[in-house]
């Protein structure tokens, strides 16, 4: 809408002036819903199809220690479903927030380790497809992460496909069947750092294998070596 100002940069616009002319944004007028968690989120939040998806680690004298991946109604906060991933897996989640992707119908992510990612029904949480032709997290992933932080399983959903990226590999899989449609490997001295998709074009941002990235307030900071489309 004309009343909404496009905020494209941290300081509003490319000119560096943090002045916005948005007339739609306002203070919060009320509380829609609130849930007591006794814990903290360990994955990024995804909102799709009127649902809120998030992994939560709960701890305290009343709940002990548990972790769940859960879906709630985004309007009223009522729980829709929950699953209990392996405990060690949430250590991987804390490092890599681009693991989970969702749309109105499905949610894709890693819910067991070692193993392949799964596509779940967004309405029920039931597994629809195991991406057995996709990329696999191996049993020693915790040790590998200490030396290779770019070993991130990255998912992007686009129409009837899901793209996976990890290390040097990028794969395109069919959402309905899990069948592999195509695969790509980055040049020998580079890893995948970013992945963006628009219809039939996939843009891969690579970085040298010896370069680390930083995660600051949920933002990925990495100097790209090249862009490949």
């Amino acid at each position: 809408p004309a009343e909404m100002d496009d905020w494209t940069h941290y300081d509003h616009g490319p000119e560096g002036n943090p002045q916005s002319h948005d007339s739609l944004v306002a203070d919060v007028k009320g509380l829609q819903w609130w849930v007591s968690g006794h814990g903290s989120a360990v994955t990024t939040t995804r909102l799709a199809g009127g649902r809120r998806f998030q992994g939560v680690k709960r701890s305290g004298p009343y709940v002990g220690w548990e972790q769940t991946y859960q879906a709630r109604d985004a309007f009223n906060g009522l729980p829709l479903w929950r699953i209990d991933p392996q405990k060690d897996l949430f250590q991987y989640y804390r490092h890599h927030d681009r693991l989970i992707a969702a749309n109105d119908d499905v949610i894709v992510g890693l819910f067991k380790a070692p193993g392949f990612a799964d596509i779940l029904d967004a309405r029920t949480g039931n597994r629809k497809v195991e991406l057995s032709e996709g990329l696999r997290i191996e049993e020693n992933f915790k040790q590998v992460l200490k030396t290779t932080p770019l070993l991130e399983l990255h998912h992007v959903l686009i129409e009837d496909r899901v793209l996976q990226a990890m290390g040097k590999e990028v794969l395109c899989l069919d959402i309905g069947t899990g069948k592999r449609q195509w695969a790509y490997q980055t040049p020998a001295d580079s890893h995948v750092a970013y992945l963006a998709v628009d219809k039939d074009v996939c843009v891969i941002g690579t970085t040298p294998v010896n370069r680390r990235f930083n995660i600051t307030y949920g933002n990925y900071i990495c100097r790209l070596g090249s862009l490949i489309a």
Side-chain angles (χ1 to χ4, degrees), residues 150 189-191 207-212:
L150 279 172
D189 59 347
S190 64
H191 275 172
T207 189
V209 293
N210 59 352
R211 181 171 293 161
R212 301 172 68 93

Side-chain angles (χ1 to χ4, degrees), residues 89-130:
L89 191 58
F90 272 42
Q91 178 177 339
Y92 188 85
Y93 276 141
R94 284 197 292 272
H95 288 279
H96 304 302
D97 253 3
R98 295 177 294 179
L99 181 62
I100 302 294
N103 59 25
D104 291 355
D105 301 313
V106 300
I107 177 169
V108 58
L110 187 68
F111 302 105
K112 59 184 184 298
F116 297 101
D118 290 319
I119 294 179
L120 309 182
D121 188 313
R123 291 172 290 274
T124 65
N126 294 330
R127 186 171 74 178
K128 299 183 70 174
V129 179
E130 181 187 55

Side-chain angles (χ1 to χ4, degrees), residues 57-218:
K57 181 181 74 173
R58 303 181 64 208
S59 60
Y62 301 106
V63 299
W65 191 98
E66 65 175 15
Q67 60 186 18
T68 63
Y69 197 86
Q70 55 187 237
R72 291 183 178 273
D73 188 302
F75 179 77
N76 54 36
L78 292 176
L80 301 175
W81 52 263
R82 56 175 282 181
I83 58 177
D84 300 317
Q86 295 181 5
K87 288 186 177 181
D88 288 348
L89 191 58
F90 272 42
Q91 178 177 339
Y92 188 85
Y93 276 141
R94 284 197 292 272
H95 288 279
H96 304 302
D97 253 3
R98 295 177 294 179
L99 181 62
I100 302 294
N103 59 25
D104 291 355
D105 301 313
V106 300
I107 177 169
V108 58
L110 187 68
F111 302 105
K112 59 184 184 298
F116 297 101
D118 290 319
I119 294 179
L120 309 182
D121 188 313
R123 291 172 290 274
T124 65
N126 294 330
R127 186 171 74 178
K128 299 183 70 174
V129 179
E130 181 187 55
L131 298 177
S132 57
E133 294 189 15
L135 299 172
R136 175 185 170 90
I137 297 298
E138 300 299 336
E139 190 170 0
N140 65 337
F141 75 93
K142 287 191 293 183
Q143 288 73 31
V144 173
L145 283 175
K146 295 178 181 179
T147 57
T148 314
L150 279 172
L151 188 66
E152 174 194 3
L153 183 57
H154 181 181
H155 288 111
V156 174
L157 285 168
I158 178 75
E159 298 176 347
D160 60 348
R161 293 155 288 164
V162 56
L163 275 79
Q164 288 187 320
M166 183 172 66
K168 299 176 61 60
E169 297 184 88
V170 179
L171 305 182
C172 180
L173 306 167
D174 184 275
I175 287 179
T177 64
K179 297 294 183 181
R180 184 183 297 192
Q181 296 184 346
W182 55 262
Y184 174 80
Q185 280 202 341
T186 62
D189 59 347
S190 64
H191 275 172
V192 178
Y194 292 93
L195 190 65
V197 186
D198 183 16
K199 295 182 180 179
D200 294 326
V201 178
C202 175
V203 178
I204 304 165
T206 70
T207 189
V209 293
N210 59 352
R211 181 171 293 161
R212 301 172 68 93
F213 64 70
N214 296 319
I215 305 175
T216 305
Y217 296 105

